[in-house]
Each structure stands twice: as C-alpha cells, then as structure tokens.
Amino acid sequence: MSNVYSSDPEDLERKGPSFCSRLLKYTWKTISCLFSHITLVSMVVSYCILGAFTFHRLEKDNEVQVKKNISNIRNHAIDKLWLITNGSNVLSEERFIKNSTQILHEFENSLWLAISKQGWDGEESTDTIQWSLPGALFYSIIVITTIGESHL
C-alpha cells in the first residue's frame, strides 16, 4: 500500500502537511493579511482625502462670507459714529459719549457673535482662509484620530 493513501494515524503525524498544503496555507495567510491591511489603510486615506475636499467645499464660502460681513459691520459702526460727529452743529460731550458708547457696544456684540457662533478668527483678509485644502485635510485627520477616544 502506498504511503500517500495510508490511513494509519501514525503515518499522518510523522509526515505532517505536504509542501503544497503548507505553501497554500501561508500564501493564503499572506494574501489575506496584505489585502485586509491594504484595504483598511486605503479606506482611511480615502476618508481623509474625501473629508478634506468636503470640509473645504462646505466651509470655505462661509468663512469668506463671515469675513466680508465683519467688514460691513465695522463700516456701519464707523458711518454711525461719523453721522453723530458730523450731524450736530455743536458737539456735546455727554450726548456723544452716550451715543457712541451705544454704537460701540452694538459693534462689540456683533464681533462677539461672529467669534463665538460663526467661527471668525479675527482676520478680515479673504486671501488667507483657515479652510484651505491642507487645513481641511488636517481637520479631517484630527476627526478620524479622535473618534472613539471620549471614554478616556
């Protein structure tokens, strides 16, 4: 009787798996490990890049609009102060202080609202924006790396 078809358990223990079965086993493990890791890494990279484009697209226009709005708020306050100064024949110190304090308080509230609710960073130039593509990519990476860390 041939050793290949032997049903004796001692023969199987002594021989072990064949070269082909070991080759297939390790090839399968290598391929499955590589594909699972490559797939996972490519999904993370894809998420970060897609998130960067999404954040950039959604937030850039809003940031530019907020910066333009700040300029309008400032110009409106300046115009009101100029009207107080230029509109009266005699400039009364008490009335000027009262009216200008009110105008400046409204301006301060508008700035506070822009900073706290609309995300204004104090920069009025529309040439420099926070939501550039690299900034959005950085934010996307921060989001994916902090997910699930709230339990700490």
Side-chain angles (χ1 to χ4, degrees), residues 8-132:
D8 186 17
E10 292 178 10
D11 283 345
L12 290 176
E13 287 178 18
R14 188 180 42 182
K15 288 183 184 177
S18 68
F19 174 75
C20 285
S21 64
R22 282 185 294 161
L23 180 67
L24 285 174
K25 175 184 169 184
Y26 291 120
T27 303
W28 175 253
K29 284 188 175 200
T30 304
I31 290 173
S32 64
C33 180
L34 283 177
F35 279 123
S36 66
H37 286 77
I38 289 172
T39 303
L40 181 64
V41 168
S42 63
M43 286 177 63
V44 169
V45 169
S46 299
Y47 171 82
C48 289
I49 292 171
L50 182 65
F53 281 111
T54 303
F55 290 134
H56 176 70
R57 177 82 173 145
L58 291 175
E59 296 294 336
K60 180 183 176 188
D61 295 335
N62 182 49
E63 183 179 358
V64 169
Q65 185 61 37
V66 167
K67 287 182 178 192
K68 288 179 181 177
N69 192 27
I70 293 297
S71 296
N72 292 338
I73 291 170
R74 186 190 65 247
N75 291 336
H76 184 67
I78 290 171
D79 289 343
K80 280 183 162 181
L81 287 171
W82 178 248
L83 286 175
I84 291 172
T85 306
N86 197 27
S88 61
N89 292 334
V90 176
L91 190 60
S92 168
E93 182 179 352
E94 292 176 10
R95 190 172 32 185
F96 178 78
I97 289 174
K98 179 183 173 190
N99 291 339
S100 63
T101 303
Q102 180 183 0
I103 292 169
L104 291 175
H105 186 65
E106 291 172 3
F107 178 66
E108 179 184 10
N109 288 339
S110 298
L111 289 181
W112 178 252
L113 179 68
I115 290 169
S116 63
K117 302 289 183 194
Q118 298 171 348
W120 183 53
D121 63 347
E123 179 70 37
E124 288 186 51
S125 172
T126 56
D127 296 334
T128 57
I129 57 171
Q130 290 178 333
W131 287 103
S132 62

